[in-house]
Amino acid sequence: MPNERRSDVARLQDNRKRPFRVDTMLVKSIGFLDNFNGDFTVSDGGSHVNVPAGTAVLRIATEAGMFEIHPNASGEMALVSMRIDACDAIEARNLVQNATAPVLDHISFMGGTPIITGLTRIYDDTNQASTLDLIAPEQAVTLNPGNGTLFADLAPIYALYREFKNTVSPFYRLLCAYKILEGIYGVLRKSARKRATEKGIRLIIPKEVVPDHPDIAKDLRHLVGKPIKTVCDNVLQKRYRDAAAHFLVQETQVLRVSSAEERAKFADMAFLCDLCAQIVIHNHEAALRHLK
């Protein structure tokens, strides 16, 4: 930037209200990205919705402002663009998503077809800085060459965990995680203890607490060190599972699954639940191994 004297860090930490342009690419299938291009254009996007022949752009007015839907060369809705004033990239993304999502939701209903959002680019006009918003791919793992034991009792739990990892929906992830913890604490642990009593075995299960991790959201860090069972019953079930499973969160409050804030909130809790589920599953495997 000509005549710019601020450091890159100062530009990135700018919290003044200023203009942003937010571009979201539409895609035809849900998936994790192995690679991505931050300079995507309308040609990179696509959807199952075709615009009327000859349409160059769809302009839609909302209370937050006007946004545009651009078709690709095949006439498919491919790119959603909007300008918005915000104090940072996250606020800009949230404002645009909350403004555009209800329209995309309605088009999805009218067409009876999915409308899937992919990579989002948030461009800061003032600081000439781009921020990319995407679902990060999972890290590669290497299988242990040693023998493994598949416990039949845990087959439904393994299936739920795989379902949890395969989906990109934070709400469905949360429900899968809850069912894992509910299944072990509510059914499988009781069964294991009963079998241990019948065999005259003393079943010792380590204390299970929420582990620490640098990526746990700041709003959830107060749960670190607390019993997982307590968090499952008093936090996960009441504040998240019930909200995801029922239309009304409270008597008059509805969970809006297109809300950027709600999606972030559930994604943060789903990450914490993943850490907890792994602990509880591994401990139950150890208990079953002791019963053999």
Side-chain angles (χ1 to χ4, degrees):
M1 292 175 62
N3 303 319
E4 176 59 68
R5 296 182 179 180
R6 293 174 301 159
S7 67
D8 290 344
V9 173
R11 289 163 59 195
L12 290 173
Q13 293 179 347
D14 188 355
N15 59 6
R16 297 171 299 169
K17 196 165 189 177
R18 57 197 188 277
F20 288 83
R21 177 189 170 104
V22 180
D23 297 309
T24 298
M25 183 169 61
L26 299 182
V27 295
K28 292 186 176 181
S29 60
I30 299 174
F32 298 96
L33 297 173
D34 288 329
N35 52 69
F36 56 89
N37 176 19
D39 293 325
F40 62 85
T41 67
V42 66
S43 300
D44 298 306
S47 69
H48 301 289
V49 180
N50 296 316
V51 302
T55 302
V57 62
L58 297 174
R59 291 189 175 88
I60 301 167
T62 73
E63 292 183 359
M66 183 85 68
F67 75 90
E68 298 177 340
I69 300 177
H70 300 268
N72 58 21
S74 300
E76 304 165 347
M77 287 172 35
L79 187 72
V80 178
S81 299
M82 185 174 184
R83 290 191 173 277
I84 199 82
D85 288 343
C87 293
D88 56 47
I90 299 302
E91 182 186 12
R93 179 204 64 184
N94 290 353
L95 289 171
V96 169
Q97 183 172 330
N98 291 341
T100 59
V103 176
L104 298 180
D105 296 342
H106 190 226
I107 295 174
S108 174
F109 167 71
M110 290 192 299
T113 189
I115 297 180
I116 305 167
T117 56
L119 194 63
T120 293
R121 178 177 58 237
I122 307 106
Y123 183 71
D124 180 343
D125 290 346
T126 302
N127 294 300
Q128 296 183 12
S130 291
T131 300
L132 296 179
D133 183 64
L134 70 156
I135 298 175
E138 294 283 343
Q139 293 184 346
V141 298
T142 301
L143 286 177
N144 189 326
N147 294 327
T149 302
L150 193 161
F151 296 97
D153 288 358
L154 284 171
I157 300 298
Y158 297 141
L160 280 169
Y161 188 79
R162 181 185 173 197
E163 190 77 1
F164 171 94
K165 300 299 283 188
N166 284 353
T167 184
V168 298
S169 166
F171 306 102
Y172 187 46
R173 277 193 163 210
L174 199 288
L175 288 174
C176 288
Y178 177 78
K179 287 173 69 70
I180 288 171
L181 297 175
E182 179 190 43
I184 292 180
Y185 284 133
V187 179
L188 299 184
R189 284 281 165 86
K190 293 179 181 178
S191 174
R193 288 193 174 96
K194 181 179 178 181
R195 288 160 56 187
T197 299
E198 292 171 349
K199 291 185 175 184
I201 298 174
R202 185 186 177 194
L203 200 61
I204 301 176
I205 297 176
K207 185 178 181 181
E208 295 169 330
V209 300
V210 176
D212 196 3
H213 191 285
D215 293 332
I216 291 177
K218 181 170 60 175
D219 292 343
L220 298 177
R221 295 204 63 82
H222 68 282
L223 299 176
V224 173
K226 292 189 176 181
I228 295 176
K229 179 68 165 62
T230 300
V231 172
C232 180
D233 292 341
N234 298 335
V235 180
L236 180 59
Q237 178 179 354
K238 295 181 179 179
R239 300 182 191 175
Y240 293 86
R241 179 266 178 190
D242 289 352
H246 304 293
F247 183 72
L248 288 178
V249 180
Q250 297 176 357
E251 291 185 2
T252 59
Q253 184 181 354
V254 176
L255 173 66
R256 297 186 180 275
V257 296
S258 288
S259 163
E261 292 84 0
E262 291 294 347
R263 294 185 69 85
K265 171 185 170 183
F266 273 74
D268 289 342
M269 176 53 82
F271 176 79
L272 184 143
C273 287
D274 188 358
L275 301 175
C276 294
Q278 291 182 51
I279 291 173
V280 174
I281 294 171
H282 283 311
N283 285 345
H284 199 77
E285 285 179 328
L288 294 178
R289 200 174 287 114
H290 190 58
L291 289 174
K292 291 186 68 175

